[in-house]
Amino acid sequence: MTDKASACPCNSGKSFADCCGPYIAHEKLPATQEALMRSRYSAYAVVDVAYLEETLLPGTRDDFDAESAKNWAQSGVWTGLEIRSTENDPASPDEGYVEFVAHYEVEGKPHAHHETSRFVRQDGQWWYVDGVTGQRPRRVVKVGRNDPCPCGSGKKYKKCCGIAA
């Protein structure tokens, strides 16, 4: 287990006690999908497989293999987390994505796991749903000049964000 005064494994620049420790100890809930992602990475680093399972969206836990997760967590030396992007789905504020690279070493050799994870918020709590290796494909939506502006202002695109375009 990580010493509470030591640096948090997630590379936040905070101590474990001031960052992911309270989440893993069930003292508080992560307020954002990024905080949940960071705490899940830290759970791998401190080999807390129960936390990894508990933070999966209920109904998606059937195929969770606790023994494999434990073996993977124990086989590596977790060397840092790099958050590449965090975003919420504009159509659903209770769905979000975190693109990250988890750095670790196995038998002294560096490895990286690049994933974009999907999270949902239900009843005020964020849950991990699933992930895709690498970057999530971006959906490009073409906005017409007379369409409502996607920023939510209520104005037409040409009279709002489309002025400079």
Side-chain angles (χ1 to χ4, degrees):
M1 192 64 159
T2 298
D3 181 289
K4 289 185 178 193
S6 64
C8 193
C10 79
N11 282 6
S12 65
K14 300 177 185 175
S15 71
F16 184 68
D18 291 332
C19 191
C20 295
Y23 305 137
I24 294 171
H26 303 95
E27 295 169 1
K28 66 182 193 176
L29 294 173
T32 65
Q33 70 267 29
E34 182 178 330
L36 179 57
M37 181 62 246
R38 288 181 175 281
S39 68
R40 286 179 55 83
Y41 175 86
S42 293
Y44 276 105
V46 300
V47 192
D48 192 327
V49 176
Y51 182 80
L52 294 168
E53 185 170 13
E54 292 161 3
T55 56
L56 291 171
L57 180 68
T60 65
R61 299 175 184 170
D62 293 344
D63 63 349
F64 180 74
D65 184 347
E67 192 63 32
S68 290
K70 181 179 179 183
N71 289 340
W72 192 45
Q74 288 177 328
S75 70
V77 174
W78 299 86
T79 57
L81 178 66
E82 173 189 344
I83 300 292
R84 295 248 175 115
S85 68
T86 300
E87 64 181 87
N88 285 77
D89 186 332
S92 173
D94 290 329
E95 184 171 358
Y97 300 88
V98 178
E99 180 188 353
F100 69 92
V101 180
H103 298 277
Y104 61 101
E105 293 179 358
V106 175
E107 297 179 359
K109 294 180 182 167
H111 295 274
H113 174 76
H114 183 190
E115 180 178 311
T116 299
S117 297
R118 182 168 60 111
F119 297 85
V120 296
R121 182 173 41 199
Q122 291 182 348
D123 300 322
Q125 182 171 348
W126 283 101
W127 302 93
Y128 173 83
V129 180
D130 56 20
V132 295
T133 302
Q135 250 184 331
R136 170 175 77 95
R138 303 277 192 249
R139 201 175 59 204
V140 177
V141 178
K142 179 125 171 102
V143 180
R145 288 178 33 84
N146 290 316
D147 291 341
C149 191
C151 77
S153 69
K155 298 178 182 179
K156 288 184 178 183
Y157 178 70
K158 69 182 178 186
K159 296 283 186 178
C160 191
C161 295
I163 289 174

